[in-house]
Amino acid sequence: MADDAQYAHDPKFRQFSVAVEKALRSFESTSEWADLISALGKLSKVLQTHTQFHILPKKYTVGKRLSQCAHPALPSGCHLKALEVYDLIFTRIGNDGLARDIFVYASGLFPLLGCSAMSVRPPLLSIYETHFLPLGHHLSPALQGLLLALLPGLEEGSEHTQRIQTLLVSLCKVTDQWLFYNALWSCVLTVPSARLPALVFVLSQMTKGSTPEDQQHFFGDDLSTMVSY
């Protein structure tokens, strides 16, 4: 509501808000995945029609509906359409808006990579590269969740392994290497399925011949977390 306050008396924004509400109501009558794709198409059309505003009305409901459309049981066509809408939203709200509302959208995006079809992974990774990486240190509160979102893609033989590894390296650079590895060891400690890909990544980043002092950041800034594992 606070975001909407600045446009409270703008008739064009009220028109935009009404159009979003109408598009969201189309999700209520869905009975199969094709209906969800149709509803996503209506929401996408509204977003592309009203481009002059940098905020999104009903963002919590929008985030909830997108999360439902990213459910693992749904086909890749539904996931791809949902990613199109995510991209439209993130382009609209910009870095500041995404940094503020990252948890509104993370519940749908973060679990998707591990269960998605191969055709879904390129646009999903593009969203992380285009919209999440530029957030830099603003990613810190969501860093552990983002790492857990990416680590399933490091399975051996995947065509996207190198791209995901490059993305992880970039995340380390734009956040803070100590903070990054502390979050990574927290993933290892708390999520068994993350242990193998996380350790493979750490080993791939270590440099043979370097002194332990030069590679202390690999242990994170909380040594007790790594030792607990």
Side-chain angles (χ1 to χ4, degrees):
M1 292 300 293
D3 292 341
D4 299 358
Q6 59 182 311
Y7 298 112
H9 304 293
D10 187 328
K12 290 184 178 180
F13 184 77
R14 288 200 297 271
Q15 184 182 19
F16 177 34
S17 184
V18 169
V20 170
E21 282 192 70
K22 183 178 179 180
L24 288 172
R25 282 198 294 272
S26 64
F27 286 89
E28 299 173 4
S29 57
T30 57
S31 59
E32 56 184 24
W33 62 265
D35 297 331
L36 289 174
I37 292 179
S38 176
L40 287 166
K42 293 176 182 177
L43 181 57
S44 175
K45 185 177 180 180
V46 170
L47 294 174
Q48 294 178 75
T49 301
H50 302 270
T51 58
Q52 66 269 50
F53 302 106
H54 299 294
I55 64 172
L56 179 66
K58 313 297 178 185
K59 63 184 179 183
Y60 296 109
T61 306
V62 171
K64 174 184 174 182
R65 292 305 186 189
L66 289 176
S67 179
Q68 291 173 338
C69 292
H71 191 279
L74 293 172
S76 59
C78 194
H79 293 164
L80 288 168
K81 195 65 180 178
L83 290 176
E84 288 181 22
V85 178
Y86 276 118
D87 185 58
L88 287 171
I89 292 172
F90 297 159
T91 300
R92 171 186 295 272
I93 65 178
N95 292 346
D96 291 341
L98 180 55
R100 181 184 62 245
D101 296 334
I102 191 168
F103 291 107
V104 175
Y105 306 106
S107 61
L109 279 178
F110 285 2
L112 186 54
L113 185 69
C115 64
S116 64
M118 285 298 173
S119 61
V120 175
R121 294 189 173 193
L124 176 57
L125 293 175
S126 292
I127 284 178
Y128 289 138
E129 293 162 347
T130 304
H131 299 293
F132 281 70
L133 268 183
L135 299 185
H137 69 277
H138 294 296
L139 282 170
S140 298
L143 185 55
Q144 186 172 338
L146 183 53
L147 291 178
L148 288 172
L150 293 170
L151 288 172
L154 288 180
E155 69 265 25
E156 186 176 358
S158 169
E159 60 184 285
H160 304 297
T161 298
Q162 185 57 53
R163 185 176 178 183
I164 294 171
Q165 183 158 320
T166 300
L167 180 53
L168 288 169
V169 171
S170 298
L171 279 173
C172 182
K173 292 178 180 178
V174 302
T175 52
D176 174 86
Q177 59 183 3
W178 294 88
L179 181 67
F180 176 90
Y181 281 102
N182 192 56
L184 190 68
W185 287 115
S186 293
C187 294
V188 169
L189 180 64
T190 58
V191 182
S193 61
R195 290 172 184 168
L196 179 58
L199 293 175
V200 168
F201 174 76
V202 171
L203 291 173
S204 73
Q205 298 305 299
M206 288 185 168
T207 305
K208 292 181 179 180
S210 295
T211 65
E213 290 75 15
D214 292 335
Q215 303 191 79
Q216 285 184 352
H217 58 276
F218 288 118
F219 303 122
D221 59 8
D222 184 2
L223 189 59
S224 62
T225 302
M226 196 265 296
V227 172
S228 296
Y229 169 68

